[in-house]
């Protein structure tokens, strides 16, 4: 472990629900946990859910019991259910509560469509898989779509597409002050590009 630049405080909450995309949040949650951040899972209820990869997850708490003031960040992974039903709409509404309270939200893949349907991307810079994926939701934020691996708007909302879990993690690590500058860049180059030269920077910073 062990970067010393992180500033653990309130828990980070990871939304979990049936069909969640396992691969999209692992870099973020693993690195946050390694730097001392508590990760708590929040489900529709406290009943177990099952990911796309077949992992059975027992949520730590139910969505109705999650309060923005008790959290440092809400992470919303993608899931088939974002596009096949309205079952996950309550998570988008909870994201509104977080943003209204000034607590950041990070959404990837299908979760970006959920936020679009909730109107949360109409006035914020954002990205996703492709622009027409979000356009199909009928949202009004097309003019704020950014062609980028991941986007952070105003230090409050992180978005990314399904093929960018490392960039998604990079923005979360930056947002929470875990890494910055050349250390953050080296972390990204190591895990995204397999750039072995980045090891030296991370080792010097105590981030390995």
């Amino acid at each position: 472990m062990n970067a010393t630049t992180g500033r653990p405080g309130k828990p980070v909450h990871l939304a979990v629900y049936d069909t969640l995309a396992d691969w999209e949040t692992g870099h973020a949650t693993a690195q946050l946990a390694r730097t001392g951040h508590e990760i708590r899972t929040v489900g529709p209820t406290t009943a177990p859910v099952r990911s796309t990869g077949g992992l059975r997850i027992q949520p730590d708490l139910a969505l109705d019991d999650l309060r923005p003031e008790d959290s440092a960040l809400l992470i919303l992974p993608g899931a088939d259910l974002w596009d096949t039903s309205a079952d996950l709409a309550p998570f988008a509404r909870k994201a509104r509560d977080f943003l209204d309270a000034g607590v950041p939200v990070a959404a990837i893949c299908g979760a970006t469509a959920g936020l679009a349907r909730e109107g949360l991307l109409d006035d914020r810079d954002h990205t996703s898989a492709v622009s027409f994926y979000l356009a199909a939701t009928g949202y009004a934020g097309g003019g704020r779509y950014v062609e980028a691996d991941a986007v952070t708007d105003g230090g409050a909302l992180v978005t990314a597409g399904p093929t960018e879990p490392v960039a998604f993690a990079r923005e979360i690590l930056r947002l929470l002050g875990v890494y910055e500058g050349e250390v953050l860049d080296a972390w990204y180059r190591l895990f995204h590009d397999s750039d072995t030269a980045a090891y030296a920077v991370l080792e010097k910073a105590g981030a390995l």
Side-chain angles (χ1 to χ4, degrees):
M1 159 151 192
N2 294 290
T4 58
T5 52
R7 295 188 295 273
K10 295 179 181 179
V12 170
H13 287 90
L14 172 67
V16 296
Y17 22 70
D18 286 332
T19 75
L20 78 87
D22 313 61
W23 62 93
E24 293 177 345
T25 60
H27 282 285
T29 55
Q31 202 63 33
L32 288 172
R34 283 174 58 84
T35 53
H37 292 262
E38 179 186 3
I39 308 296
R40 302 202 72 205
T41 53
V42 53
T45 67
T46 55
V49 299
R50 195 166 295 276
S51 73
T52 297
L55 298 181
R56 183 181 183 274
I57 303 168
Q58 179 77 55
D60 292 315
L61 73 162
L63 184 64
D64 285 347
D65 295 325
L66 176 63
R67 304 186 307 167
E69 59 266 34
D70 297 330
S71 183
L73 171 71
L74 174 62
I75 302 176
L76 299 173
D80 294 342
L81 288 178
W82 282 112
D83 295 321
T84 59
S85 77
D87 290 356
L88 301 186
F91 285 89
R93 291 195 290 272
K94 184 65 70 171
R96 178 181 292 280
D97 294 342
F98 267 62
L99 293 171
D100 286 349
V103 182
V105 173
I108 186 170
C109 189
T112 63
L115 298 191
R117 295 185 188 98
E118 182 65 18
L120 297 177
L121 304 185
D122 290 351
D123 301 309
R124 295 178 172 92
D125 290 343
H126 61 276
T127 193
S128 185
V130 287
S131 59
F132 56 80
Y133 170 64
L134 292 187
T137 68
Y139 84 132
R144 301 294 294 269
Y145 188 90
V146 180
E147 293 287 353
D149 55 7
V151 171
T152 300
D153 180 89
L157 177 65
V158 174
T159 50
T163 61
E164 297 293 349
V166 181
F168 185 60
R170 179 196 66 209
E171 295 304 299
I172 290 171
L173 297 175
R174 190 202 317 271
L175 183 70
L176 295 183
V178 176
Y179 301 136
E180 57 187 17
E182 68 171 358
V183 176
L184 180 64
D185 178 66
W187 182 89
Y188 177 77
R189 288 189 287 110
L190 178 62
F191 288 98
H192 187 267
D193 303 324
S194 299
D195 183 355
T196 56
Y199 272 111
V201 176
L202 296 173
E203 186 173 36
K204 181 179 178 181
L208 287 176

